[in-house]
Amino acid sequence: MVAAHVGLISSGCCFPSLPWFPSLSFSKTKPFVMAALGEDPIREWILSEGKATQITRISPVGGGCINRASRYDTDAGSFFVKTSRSIGPSMFEGEALGLGAMNETKSIRVPRPFKVGPLPTGGSYIIMEFIEFGRSRGDQAVLGRKLAEMHKAGKSEKGFGFDVDNTIGSTPQINTWTSDWVKFYAEHRLGYQLKLALDQYGDSTIYAKGEKLMKNLGRLFENVEIEPCLLHGDLWSGNISSDKNGEPVILDPACYYGHNEAEFGMSWCAGFGGSFYNAYFEVMPKQAGFEKRRDLYMLYHYLNHYNLFGSGYRSSAMSIIDDYLRIFNI
């Protein structure tokens, strides 16, 4: 699902290196630059702070189902721009903060965000580095190693969560800082999605069974030490590519600090092979009970797909819940 020079955008995107370009300062108080409201703030920024004197071409980047994506070619290089006509800057603010945090680990390559702001007609935009993609998703072993390096380097002293709420697809993702991982995952991941299914579909069955599972999650984490690791949060095949040198690139994050195993929750559509996991676990050793928890982390994403795309994903989510309830004999 990745083309030669651009990637699929689910709510996210892809982008060519501008090594001379100043990256933004991602401090806790001012993590990125917000744009002033103008007639065309995207063009204004590119022709001023972007150091271009002319925009030579604007071309659409296909594949997105939530946001519109475009490539802006200029005499100062290319930029990747995403716009939303219906959502304010908070969604792209969360994405920019996540990209900045991943960049700071100096591990795996991600596009650098340059500007986030409101559109004068409503909605918002984000301007990013455009990365020239290669013709494949790159070496799986290198991807596994670099992802593990990001998890190892990206730590938080605040606990589990993130400085802002963000989105998983177009679903709100609540990142309230929590000291206990089991509580965080139960309330802000599974619980939020289950309540959404109840409100949206009146699905009291999956809600009631999911509640039983949530109350017993701790049984899957006995004798497991969990550190808050920086997670991409939405790692599936459409958000993985490689640059023109073959180095892995990951895109379109839904970042937060969580249990590193939660990164594999989208593995059912990520295509990770044995070489990926072998390389990953060389850097981040596998913890006891990993296989038993694997479906638990997939459940969050199956529930989200159910809420986003409908009943086709309900059976997968229900099957996982039922399996755990059988294991727990409840």
Side-chain angles (χ1 to χ4, degrees):
M1 300 178 76
V2 178
H5 299 295
V6 295
L8 180 66
I9 307 101
S10 58
S11 64
C13 44
C14 32
F15 347 29
S17 175
L18 305 176
W20 48 266
F21 214 95
S23 60
L24 294 174
S25 174
F26 282 80
S27 67
K28 293 180 181 178
T29 57
K30 195 173 181 181
F32 58 87
V33 179
M34 287 293 292
L37 193 61
E39 289 190 9
D40 188 346
I42 298 170
R43 181 180 293 270
E44 286 178 11
W45 186 88
I46 288 174
L47 295 177
S48 57
E49 295 175 68
K51 299 184 178 179
T53 61
Q54 61 177 323
I55 297 171
T56 57
R57 184 183 181 191
I58 302 173
S59 51
V61 177
C65 61
I66 296 172
N67 301 306
R68 178 179 297 177
S70 303
R71 172 177 176 168
Y72 280 64
D73 292 318
T74 80
D75 58 349
S78 298
F79 299 87
F80 185 86
V81 177
K82 285 197 298 182
T83 58
S84 170
R85 297 296 174 184
S86 58
I87 302 175
S90 60
M91 177 179 67
F92 290 141
E93 173 187 353
E95 181 173 351
L97 286 169
L99 291 169
M102 291 193 294
N103 260 310
E104 286 178 0
T105 67
K106 302 186 187 307
S107 52
I108 194 165
R109 189 174 184 190
V110 299
R112 288 174 292 161
F114 296 138
K115 195 82 161 186
V116 172
L119 292 168
T121 55
S124 56
Y125 70 89
I126 181 171
I127 304 173
M128 284 182 269
E129 172 189 14
F130 190 98
I131 295 175
E132 194 76 31
F133 283 179
R135 296 186 176 277
S136 73
R137 293 175 64 213
D139 188 304
Q140 286 256 312
V142 177
L143 173 65
R145 176 174 55 81
K146 287 191 172 288
L147 183 66
E149 289 172 354
M150 185 183 85
H151 290 169
K152 196 167 187 176
K155 301 297 182 185
S156 169
E157 296 179 356
K158 298 180 181 180
F160 302 97
F162 203 54
D163 282 334
V164 298
D165 294 341
N166 48 27
T167 56
I168 182 77
S170 60
T171 307
Q173 183 167 258
I174 309 305
N175 295 319
T176 305
W177 290 108
T178 308
S179 60
D180 180 79
W181 169 248
V182 174
K183 181 180 180 182
F184 176 88
Y185 193 71
E187 292 183 5
H188 300 314
R189 292 298 179 262
L190 299 184
Y192 186 89
Q193 293 285 347
L194 289 165
K195 183 64 164 56
L196 200 58
L198 180 65
D199 293 344
Q200 186 167 240
Y201 302 120
D203 197 335
S204 57
T205 301
I206 200 168
Y207 181 81
K209 288 188 174 186
E211 285 269 287
K212 289 182 181 179
L213 172 60
M214 286 166 53
K215 292 175 182 177
N216 288 272
L217 285 187
R219 296 164 68 172
L220 294 169
F221 294 90
E222 293 173 357
N223 302 316
V224 178
E225 292 187 16
I226 303 173
E227 288 186 282
C229 298
L230 179 62
L231 307 181
H232 174 283
D234 192 16
L235 203 61
W236 66 288
S237 60
N239 292 340
I240 302 168
S241 190
S242 64
D243 63 20
K244 58 187 178 181
N245 297 319
E247 289 295 309
V249 180
I250 56 177
L251 328 159
D252 195 15
C255 286
Y256 65 99
Y257 291 89
H259 188 201
N260 67 301
E261 294 174 2
E263 193 76 283
F264 308 128
M266 284 289 285
S267 60
W268 47 280
C269 56
F272 297 141
S275 62
F276 168 86
Y277 286 108
N278 290 339
Y280 179 89
F281 289 128
E282 283 181 8
V283 179
M284 292 284 288
K286 184 189 294 187
Q287 301 172 76
F290 167 74
E291 285 77 12
K292 293 180 181 178
R293 292 184 294 272
R294 209 166 184 171
D295 285 355
L296 180 69
Y297 291 132
M298 293 185 189
L299 176 59
Y300 172 57
H301 295 279
Y302 277 125
L303 286 170
N304 187 48
H305 276 62
Y306 174 31
N307 285 316
L308 284 174
F309 306 119
S311 60
Y313 292 93
R314 183 184 186 276
S315 61
S316 295
M318 184 62 85
S319 177
I320 291 174
I321 293 172
D322 284 338
D323 284 347
Y324 278 119
L325 294 183
R326 278 192 293 269
I327 291 171
F328 295 152
N329 196 27
I330 55 176

